[in-house]
């Protein structure tokens, strides 16, 4: 579909769904990003969300809301039908034709960023300001920073470990530099072997992984069941992570969600990379009883 056609359709839809919103009216927000949806609910503005992306699963309330595509493939007609006062997406899609069409129709848009921990916090701050929940946003950010500081303190004397974090196997896709997960790995005293690539989500060969000798492998393909066997990796016993039995799965939720629960994700990753840091504390508590 050409941009000119979308623009023409936008004019027709805008006429059909034109809406004058009083200054005191509650917002009608369409979120095209799961992390934005989660942020809105965490801020206490969930009742203003009228549409979400097709990938939204959290919090449970979103299951009842209309789905309007995603930040890469938003459904302009479905969004317009909801008469939003604000459409929130990702900065990567700020110039795509559907977003431009929504702007031509007169709908206000806001683009957020989530490629780093700093960007996540800034997005929470901006969204909080837009929905008049500045104090709630500040509380969420303080909680994230407190969890990050707690992990830093706990791992102050921990060794830095070579880590591989995977999000898929066919092909093998890793967490790379320029992502919020790479930020979290660094806080968790991990050397991300995928940082050797300049890509955010590099495709890696098994040969490369063997040569980099990761000491810990976090494999999303294994899921979150701690008893899930890493059959794939057992074929490569020369990898230190395999020899030392440091191959673990992790849950997609909240691990891959760059939103208000990012502090929880950090602790989860840190525990998988440095389990002894938590085991030692448990042993001390038990010995003092």
């Amino acid at each position: 579909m050409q941009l000119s056609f979308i623009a023409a359709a936008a004019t027709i839809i805008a006429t059909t769904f034109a809406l004058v919103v009083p200054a005191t009216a509650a917002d009608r927000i369409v979120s095209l990003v799961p992390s934005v949806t989660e942020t809105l609910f965490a801020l206490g503005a969930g009742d203003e969300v009228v549409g979400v992306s097709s990938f939204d699963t959290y919090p449970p309330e979103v299951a009842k809301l209309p789905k309007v595509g995603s930040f890469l493939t938003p459904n302009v007609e479905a969004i317009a039908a909801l008469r939003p006062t604000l459409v929130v997406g990702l900065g990567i899609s700020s110039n795509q034709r559907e977003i431009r069409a929504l702007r031509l129709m007169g709908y206000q848009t806001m683009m957020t960023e989530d490629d780093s921990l700093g960007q996540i916090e800034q997005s929470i701050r901006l969204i909080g300001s837009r929905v008049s929940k500045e104090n709630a946003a500040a509380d969420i950010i303080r909680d994230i920073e407190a969890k990050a500081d707690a992990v830093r303190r706990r791992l102050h004397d921990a060794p830095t470990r070579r880590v591989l974090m995977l999000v898929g196997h066919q092909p093998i896709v890793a967490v790379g530099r320029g992502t919020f997960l790479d930020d979290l790995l660094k806080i968790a005293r991990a050397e991300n072997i995928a940082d050797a690539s300049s890509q955010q989500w590099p495709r890696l060969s098994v040969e490369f992984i063997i040569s980099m000798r990761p000491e810990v492998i976090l494999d999303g393909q294994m899921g979150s069941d701690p008893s899930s066997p890493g059959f794939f990796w057992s074929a490569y016993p020369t990898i230190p992570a395999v020899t030392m039995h440091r191959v673990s799965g992790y849950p997609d939720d909240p691990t891959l969600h760059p939103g208000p629960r990012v502090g929880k994700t950090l602790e989860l990753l840190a525990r998988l990379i440095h389990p002894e840091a938590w085991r030692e504390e448990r042993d001390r508590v038990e010995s003092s009883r």
Side-chain angles (χ1 to χ4, degrees), residues 30-87:
V30 168
S31 169
L32 304 178
V33 193
S35 59
V36 169
T37 305
E38 184 175 336
T39 297
L40 287 163
F41 276 86
L43 289 169
D47 58 349
E48 298 179 24
V49 179
V50 296
V52 296
S53 85
S54 54
F55 297 106
D56 273 86
T57 58
Y58 186 90
E61 293 91 323
V62 303
K64 301 177 182 179
L65 293 172
K67 303 298 188 290
V68 295
S70 71
F71 72 94
L72 286 177
T73 57
N75 185 319
V76 174
E77 291 80 3
I79 293 171
L82 295 172
R83 300 173 293 130
T85 58
L86 178 65
V87 179

Side-chain angles (χ1 to χ4, degrees), residues 147 151 155 165 181 184-185 188 216 218 223-224 248-256 261-275 278:
K147 286 182 168 61
V151 168
L155 300 182
M165 184 173 182
L181 288 169
L184 300 188
L185 290 174
V216 177
L218 306 178
S224 58
S248 303
Y250 62 83
D252 286 350
D253 184 10
T255 309
L256 302 182
R261 292 180 294 165
V262 69
K264 181 178 179 180
T265 297
L266 171 59
E267 181 176 328
L268 185 152
L269 296 178
R271 283 176 177 269
L272 292 174
I273 297 167
H274 299 280
W278 277 265

Side-chain angles (χ1 to χ4, degrees), residues 27 39-40 43 86 110 121-138 141:
D27 269 316
T39 297
L40 287 163
L43 289 169
L86 178 65
M110 173 187 287
E121 293 180 351
Q122 178 64 6
S123 293
I124 292 171
R125 190 176 292 109
L126 289 173
I127 294 170
S129 177
R130 174 58 179 79
V131 298
S132 300
K133 300 286 186 180
E134 291 90 347
N135 291 339
I141 293 169

Side-chain angles (χ1 to χ4, degrees), residues 4-21:
S4 58
F5 179 80
I6 291 183
T11 303
I12 296 172
I13 297 172
T15 302
T16 304
F17 295 106
L19 178 68
V20 177
V21 182

Side-chain angles (χ1 to χ4, degrees), residues 95-135:
N95 290 320
Q96 71 186 54
R97 58 190 181 183
E98 291 87 354
I99 297 298
R100 293 202 300 271
L102 288 167
R103 288 170 177 163
L104 285 171
M105 295 162 64
Y107 293 111
Q108 182 181 356
T109 64
M110 173 187 287
M111 298 295 112
T112 63
E113 305 286 350
D114 62 8
D115 287 337
S116 69
L117 182 58
Q119 287 182 350
I120 292 171
E121 293 180 351
Q122 178 64 6
S123 293
I124 292 171
R125 190 176 292 109
L126 289 173
I127 294 170
S129 177
R130 174 58 179 79
V131 298
S132 300
K133 300 286 186 180
E134 291 90 347
N135 291 339

